[in-house]
Amino acid sequence: MRNKDAAARHHRLIYLLNVAQRRLQRWMAAQPQNEVTPAQAGLLFILGKQDGVLMGEAGAALDMGPAGISGLVDRSAAARLVERRADREDGRAWRVWLTLKGRTVLAQAKTDAAQINAALTDGFTSAEIDIVARWLSSIQDKFPRPSDE
């Protein structure tokens, strides 16, 4: 089902999406309790669900290429949030594990994310948020990540 309504074409969705993303990122980075960047928090969330994932799996889950996930893991390891270990089965592959500090920071990140999600959804019904979530998810299908990244 396509939205052919003329008014729908003038919502400036690209602009609104970009501004919203930048504002949210800036606001999150300015919070004094934040010990991690949003990207680092994303990595911690992934490891909180499955500790010891392959770097490539973490990168795919975060929509990052090899260079991006490598840099993120390097920064997170330098902050003592994660550690990188060689895979036992494949010496060329690396797995990422939460540290004790990473687990503590993850717990705070979960609390912060719940508060931010509550603020983001305030004033909207569950049905409206379901539509927004479906629309945002559809962007990933409509504009797939290039396979060479």
Side-chain angles (χ1 to χ4, degrees), residues 1-148:
M1 175 170 93
R2 297 212 171 220
N3 189 347
K4 302 282 186 183
D5 186 83
R9 289 180 278 171
H10 298 295
H11 283 299
R12 302 176 2 193
L13 295 175
I14 297 167
Y15 169 77
L16 292 171
L17 189 59
N18 280 311
V19 169
Q21 189 270 341
R22 282 195 309 272
R23 292 254 178 116
L24 183 59
Q25 293 282 4
R26 269 188 254 141
W27 183 87
M28 290 170 61
Q31 299 311 296
Q33 78 275 13
N34 283 355
E35 292 188 49
V36 294
T37 66
Q40 286 173 319
L43 179 60
L44 296 180
F45 280 118
I46 289 166
L47 296 175
K49 287 183 180 176
Q50 183 185 348
D51 208 7
V53 298
L54 290 167
M55 281 185 54
E57 293 170 341
L62 293 169
D63 198 32
M64 301 176 95
I69 191 62
S70 181
L72 177 60
V73 170
D74 287 347
R75 291 187 300 280
S76 299
R80 298 191 174 138
L81 300 170
V82 303
E83 60 181 40
R84 185 188 325 219
R85 299 182 205 155
D87 183 76
R88 291 181 182 175
E89 319 267 307
D90 181 353
R92 300 167 297 166
W94 292 91
R95 292 190 177 271
V96 185
W97 300 85
L98 281 170
T99 63
L100 184 58
K101 179 182 178 183
R103 289 183 195 289
T104 301
V105 173
L106 172 59
Q108 181 62 50
K110 285 180 179 180
T111 299
D112 294 344
Q115 292 171 347
I116 293 167
N117 278 319
L120 288 170
T121 59
D122 186 39
F124 296 91
T125 67
S126 292
E128 289 171 322
I129 296 303
D130 287 346
I131 291 169
V132 171
R134 185 170 63 88
W135 178 73
L136 289 170
S137 295
S138 78
I139 292 171
Q140 296 172 48
D141 295 328
K142 293 173 184 168
F143 303 97
R145 188 185 155 76
S147 58
D148 62 338

